[in-house]
Amino acid sequence: MIEALGYDFMQNALMAGMVASIICGVIGALVVVNRVVLLAGGVAHASYGGVGLAFFLGLPMLPVTAIFAVCAALLMALVTMRVKDRADTFIGVMWAAGMALGIILLDITPGYNVDLMSYLFGGILATPRLDLYLMTGLAAVVIAVAVFFYKGLWAMSFDEEFARARGIPVTPLYFIMLALIALSVVMVIRVVGLILVIALLTIPPQIAEKRTSSLWSMMILSSVLSMVFCVSGLLLSYQLDVSSGATIIAVAVAGFALSQLLNRIRT
């Protein structure tokens, strides 16, 4: 198993997993604390329209998908804040529309020969160096924005009414949070794919939430857990010659089950 680390594709995959893990820890904590998993799922599936658009236009996938996902996230944020009682319906519509648009654009793309499964279930072993640089750049942007707006995001996450009473701009922060989620989703898609992206954004933070006392510590522990799951899943998938994205999530699910078992034993 150790000899696998000598290959360039495995080194790129491990680096991509590390970058995605940091993002999952930081943004996943916000997803879990704010209870916006459904909304994050809507953004993830709607972003598939960006994948189709990128290939249809012959442009780099990550930048185009990132812009598309951010636009979809901001639209969802706008609608869900105005009509909260119908938010789930609109998210479902955006979810389906993004997937349909992506598939149609891929179908009509001249000379289309893209491995669809790599975007649905992950293609971390095929991460090119350019995508790794783009992922790192996006990660730096996400972390910088999250750190800069940390106090406001923290206040909004735990008590929205208190935050408004203190004069914190909750509405702009909500839009910023959704934009960060969109950028995170685009990066994690490369690691575990569209179908499994929400699992990596929610399982590590969910485990960390029970074992930490602050949002910062939750983000840090979640990032560490994501790294453990990614590295373990990646090496295991190489050893067993199975899908890397699905294996990473299987390891994460096993970690979640073990965490739940330990919680029951302690109580």
Side-chain angles (χ1 to χ4, degrees):
M1 188 178 295
I2 300 300
E3 70 274 9
L5 300 178
Y7 297 114
D8 288 341
F9 73 87
M10 183 61 77
Q11 293 172 7
N12 288 350
L14 286 171
M15 291 176 68
M18 295 297 100
V19 172
S21 294
I22 295 172
I23 294 306
C24 287
V26 174
I27 304 305
L30 292 174
V31 170
V32 170
V33 170
N34 284 275
R35 306 292 186 263
V36 290
V37 175
L38 176 62
L39 209 157
V43 173
H45 288 78
S47 67
Y48 193 69
V51 175
L53 183 63
F55 284 106
F56 180 75
L57 297 176
L59 298 173
M61 191 276 290
L62 273 177
V64 174
T65 307
I67 294 172
F68 189 94
V70 169
C71 291
L74 295 180
L75 181 58
M76 288 185 192
L78 180 64
V79 174
T80 54
M81 289 200 74
R82 291 189 174 183
V83 284
K84 291 187 177 181
D85 57 328
R86 298 295 180 183
D88 57 341
T89 301
F90 183 77
I91 291 171
V93 171
M94 289 287 292
W95 183 315
M99 289 290 292
L101 177 63
I103 292 171
I104 290 172
L105 288 175
L106 288 174
D107 284 343
I108 64 177
T109 298
Y112 164 69
N113 60 352
V114 180
D115 181 11
L116 181 63
M117 302 306 287
S118 68
Y119 290 97
L120 293 179
F121 296 99
I124 188 173
L125 292 176
T127 305
R129 186 68 65 171
L130 176 59
D131 276 11
L132 188 57
Y133 293 149
L134 291 172
M135 287 178 67
T136 304
L138 285 173
V141 171
V142 170
I143 293 173
V145 174
V147 170
F148 185 79
F149 293 105
Y150 174 77
K151 290 185 178 180
L153 290 170
W154 175 86
M156 180 188 72
S157 299
F158 289 101
D159 195 331
E160 183 178 326
E161 294 304 319
F162 173 77
R164 290 185 185 277
R166 292 292 302 271
I168 295 174
V170 171
T171 299
L173 285 174
Y174 185 72
F175 279 81
I176 290 171
M177 182 180 70
L178 265 292
L180 293 177
I181 291 173
L183 291 175
S184 304
V185 160
V186 172
M187 283 182 285
V188 181
I189 283 176
R190 169 58 75 181
V191 177
V192 296
L194 178 66
I195 304 299
L196 305 173
V197 62
I198 295 304
L200 200 58
L201 274 172
T202 55
I203 292 176
Q206 186 65 42
I207 298 173
E209 186 180 28
K210 304 296 183 181
R211 289 165 171 76
T212 53
S213 57
S214 69
L215 184 58
W216 263 130
S217 57
M218 180 180 172
M219 289 177 173
I220 293 171
L221 179 57
S222 178
S223 297
V224 172
L225 289 172
S226 294
M227 290 181 187
V228 172
F229 296 151
C230 282
V231 173
S232 302
L234 192 57
L235 295 177
L236 186 61
S237 69
Y238 178 83
Q239 185 73 15
L240 300 177
D241 192 22
V242 293
S243 171
S244 55
T247 306
I248 289 171
I249 298 305
V251 171
V253 170
F256 179 77
L258 179 61
S259 174
Q260 294 296 105
L261 180 61
L262 291 175
N263 288 343
R264 289 185 177 275
I265 293 175
R266 288 177 179 177
T267 56

